[in-house]
Amino acid sequence: MTIIKIFSLFIWLLAVPFCIGLLPMPYLDKRFRTPGAILSSGYILLFTLLEVAGIPVVVFQAYNGFSTFTGWFTAALLVAALSGAGITYWRGKRGYSLRLEGFSSLKGWGFEGRGTLALFLLLVVFQLYMAYTRASFDGDDAYYGAQALAAQQLDTLYRVNPYTGRSAPLDVRHALALFPIWEAYVGTMCGIHATIFCHSIAPLILIPLTYILYYQAGLALFWKKRQLLPGFMVLIALWQMFGNISLYTTETFFLTRTWQGKSFAGNFVIPAVLWLFLCLFGPEGKKKKGGSGKSGFWVLLGCLNLAGGASSSLAVLLSCLMTGGFGVLFALWEKKFSVLIKAGICCVPGGLYVLLYLALTHGLIGGV
């Protein structure tokens, strides 16, 4: 039974997101088609599908909402994953290929670089060990963990007061942030209690996923000095370990509240905006002039501005503000008004999310 659960976790946390992440790869140059980029893109698209499939159910279905959501979300994930795998296979017959060599510059790092990389991996393993064996308790678990468990056991979405266990009107403040519902979904698909998944399983995927994203950003930053990448990753790992200078730093959330949406917002959504803009306008992105080979990043940026809403409504506002700010900056830098137009279009999904949130909180949409 345990083996089946582990295999199910591998399917829903790695295989399915990876296959979904293959969808935008044909619209990127081969130098961007790394395993880390594929998995990071897969999770961006996964949480986009989570919001698209989940929000209508949350708003308009009071009973049996989780069952309905599970059906729609499963279908969306499988269609997206099969499409990604199928397109990659079909294009592979015509010369299309991925860049699956992993640590692409490992051969050029030398003994010192490999040793530094080994140190980084040891730090990550230590963090995963501590996160799994020393799971910390946080007061917010009385809400977020309980909402995931209520969805799993009561088959309802944000219709139960987690502090009392009684039925309640739709919690409009949190209703559009479906991160706990995703945790309940994966737990259900794998036969795992929602609380166990949140505290013990989620950090084992979300911590490495964050470092994978930072590694992709490092590839864009140090595209001509890849030997600096191991030191950069060690610095990031140490920063995360010793960043607990208050209750409110992203580092504190990263290791002690990993399973909460606010942690995902600060440690994945916001860095993902930086990663996408680095790939679009950073040194490596300029290796080929023009927009060809990078259009997939604009699509991912638009999806990210909606996907961030799964973690926190504030994440959507922040990612859209960053998109607009960077859009103005690089439009002036590139002297191309089209950059600003593309950035504006990428903010449209996030803008629709914000309008829906305002409509809910002001009673314009009452749900059922």
Side-chain angles (χ1 to χ4, degrees), residues 55 86 119 205 208 262 286 327:
I55 288 178
L119 174 60
I205 182 64
K262 291 179 285 187
K286 291 181 177 294

PDB file of all heavy atoms in Angstrom, residues 55 86 119 205 208 262 286 327:
ATOM      1  N   ILE A  55     -12.343  27.818  -9.415  1.00  0.00           N
ATOM      2  CA  ILE A  55     -13.074  29.027  -9.009  1.00  0.00           C
ATOM      3  C   ILE A  55     -14.571  28.932  -9.301  1.00  0.00           C
ATOM      4  O   ILE A  55     -15.386  29.259  -8.427  1.00  0.00           O
ATOM      5  CB  ILE A  55     -12.449  30.273  -9.668  1.00  0.00           C
ATOM      6  CG1 ILE A  55     -11.093  30.582  -9.003  1.00  0.00           C
ATOM      7  CG2 ILE A  55     -13.381  31.471  -9.550  1.00  0.00           C
ATOM      8  CD1 ILE A  55     -10.364  31.758  -9.610  1.00  0.00           C
ATOM      9  N   GLY A  86       2.291  14.221 -26.050  1.00  0.00           N
ATOM     10  CA  GLY A  86       2.004  13.892 -27.445  1.00  0.00           C
ATOM     11  C   GLY A  86       2.646  14.869 -28.417  1.00  0.00           C
ATOM     12  O   GLY A  86       3.221  14.457 -29.433  1.00  0.00           O
ATOM     13  N   LEU A 119      28.097  20.354  -1.708  1.00  0.00           N
ATOM     14  CA  LEU A 119      27.736  21.045  -0.475  1.00  0.00           C
ATOM     15  C   LEU A 119      26.298  21.565  -0.560  1.00  0.00           C
ATOM     16  O   LEU A 119      25.525  21.451   0.407  1.00  0.00           O
ATOM     17  CB  LEU A 119      28.705  22.201  -0.225  1.00  0.00           C
ATOM     18  CG  LEU A 119      28.380  23.123   0.965  1.00  0.00           C
ATOM     19  CD1 LEU A 119      28.363  22.320   2.263  1.00  0.00           C
ATOM     20  CD2 LEU A 119      29.388  24.266   1.043  1.00  0.00           C
ATOM     21  N   ILE A 205       8.378  18.333  -1.966  1.00  0.00           N
ATOM     22  CA  ILE A 205       8.326  18.743  -3.367  1.00  0.00           C
ATOM     23  C   ILE A 205       8.499  20.238  -3.521  1.00  0.00           C
ATOM     24  O   ILE A 205       9.172  20.704  -4.447  1.00  0.00           O
ATOM     25  CB  ILE A 205       7.006  18.270  -4.035  1.00  0.00           C
ATOM     26  CG1 ILE A 205       6.981  18.653  -5.513  1.00  0.00           C
ATOM     27  CG2 ILE A 205       5.797  18.835  -3.325  1.00  0.00           C
ATOM     28  CD1 ILE A 205       8.039  17.987  -6.348  1.00  0.00           C
ATOM     29  N   PRO A 208      12.457  21.527  -3.013  1.00  0.00           N
ATOM     30  CA  PRO A 208      13.274  21.341  -4.220  1.00  0.00           C
ATOM     31  C   PRO A 208      12.785  22.154  -5.409  1.00  0.00           C
ATOM     32  O   PRO A 208      13.585  22.652  -6.204  1.00  0.00           O
ATOM     33  CB  PRO A 208      13.155  19.834  -4.495  1.00  0.00           C
ATOM     34  CG  PRO A 208      12.809  19.228  -3.189  1.00  0.00           C
ATOM     35  CD  PRO A 208      11.950  20.245  -2.503  1.00  0.00           C
ATOM     36  N   LYS A 262       0.851  31.356   1.352  1.00  0.00           N
ATOM     37  CA  LYS A 262       1.677  32.556   1.480  1.00  0.00           C
ATOM     38  C   LYS A 262       3.153  32.238   1.262  1.00  0.00           C
ATOM     39  O   LYS A 262       3.898  33.056   0.714  1.00  0.00           O
ATOM     40  CB  LYS A 262       1.451  33.189   2.856  1.00  0.00           C
ATOM     41  CG  LYS A 262       0.076  33.797   3.030  1.00  0.00           C
ATOM     42  CD  LYS A 262      -0.114  34.381   4.412  1.00  0.00           C
ATOM     43  CE  LYS A 262      -0.321  33.300   5.449  1.00  0.00           C
ATOM     44  NZ  LYS A 262      -0.677  33.848   6.770  1.00  0.00           N
ATOM     45  N   LYS A 286      19.393  37.601 -24.873  1.00  0.00           N
ATOM     46  CA  LYS A 286      19.836  38.458 -25.967  1.00  0.00           C
ATOM     47  C   LYS A 286      20.740  37.734 -26.955  1.00  0.00           C
ATOM     48  O   LYS A 286      21.210  38.320 -27.920  1.00  0.00           O
ATOM     49  CB  LYS A 286      20.562  39.686 -25.409  1.00  0.00           C
ATOM     50  CG  LYS A 286      19.636  40.650 -24.664  1.00  0.00           C
ATOM     51  CD  LYS A 286      20.411  41.842 -24.170  1.00  0.00           C
ATOM     52  CE  LYS A 286      19.471  42.837 -23.500  1.00  0.00           C
ATOM     53  NZ  LYS A 286      18.536  43.436 -24.443  1.00  0.00           N
ATOM     54  N   GLY A 327       7.813  45.736 -17.390  1.00  0.00           N
ATOM     55  CA  GLY A 327       7.414  46.029 -18.764  1.00  0.00           C
ATOM     56  C   GLY A 327       7.799  47.442 -19.172  1.00  0.00           C
ATOM     57  O   GLY A 327       8.323  47.666 -20.266  1.00  0.00           O
TER      58      GLY A 327
END
